[in-house]
Amino acid sequence: VLIRPKKGNSIEQRIKNMIDLPLFEPLKNRHPEIFKKLIPIAGDVAELKMGISEKDIERMKNVSLIFHSAASVRFDDSLKYAVFMNTRGTREIMEFARGLKNIKAIMHVSTTYSHPELKTVGEVIHEPYVDWRKTIEISEKCDDDSMRVLTPLYTNFMPNTYTFTKALAEQIVDDTKDELPLVLFRPSIVISSMKVIFYCY
């Protein structure tokens, strides 16, 4: 599990906090040993090479399945951060996967709203708005002030930086599909299942 320290919690503590959620209570009761399979790996998809150490890359050389659900889902992120997290992060996942000899599948979690101008989102990859490579290059080279000026001009056809950068990530998946075994998943909404309430009528 690729995870970063947050709010003073180590990666190990964050994994423990997740396991302690009510969601996992039934699994803990039935198969408590299964959680030993969870190995936290320090990293951040917004960083180059996902911020993973060479030692941890070596530890993961036998990975065969990747679930790429990491993303910033905030609508008010700066374009630079959203590009680094959602677009460049996807590129870095693909680069990492290319080095895995046993890779069987990569599940890329996108969003139904990656193309909000469409009334019906078909099971196809839609035409790109802009070039994802150029967008990453611009985000890496421009300072924050320049990016703030550029954002409304560059993304004025999209409602926010989230949908814009997720659409670009889909283009990366499409450009990689002949090299890697990929699945593109577009959920309409993702919500917490921390608490389940049953209503009986």
Side-chain angles (χ1 to χ4, degrees), residues 22 26 40-41 46 74 79 84 86 94 99-100 107 120-121 129 140 152 169 187 189 191:
I41 298 291
R74 292 178 53 143
L79 178 59
F84 285 174
N86 298 339
M94 300 306 159
L100 299 173
M107 166 72 79
T120 302
V121 180
Y129 300 114
E140 289 175 335
I189 190 166
I191 59 171

Side-chain angles (χ1 to χ4, degrees), residues 80 138-149:
K80 178 177 278 210
I138 290 168
S139 299
E140 289 175 335
K141 289 183 175 178
C142 286
D143 59 53
D144 291 344
D145 289 336
S146 299
M147 287 297 288
R148 273 192 287 274
V149 173

Side-chain angles (χ1 to χ4, degrees), residues 110-153:
S110 186
T111 172
T112 301
Y113 307 107
S114 58
H115 289 270
E117 78 283 3
L118 300 175
K119 291 185 178 179
T120 302
V121 180
E123 292 187 7
V124 296
I125 301 294
H126 301 283
E127 285 297 311
Y129 300 114
V130 295
D131 182 83
W132 64 264
R133 292 175 185 86
K134 196 68 180 171
T135 305
I136 292 172
E137 183 184 353
I138 290 168
S139 299
E140 289 175 335
K141 289 183 175 178
C142 286
D143 59 53
D144 291 344
D145 289 336
S146 299
M147 287 297 288
R148 273 192 287 274
V149 173
L150 177 66
T151 298
L153 304 171

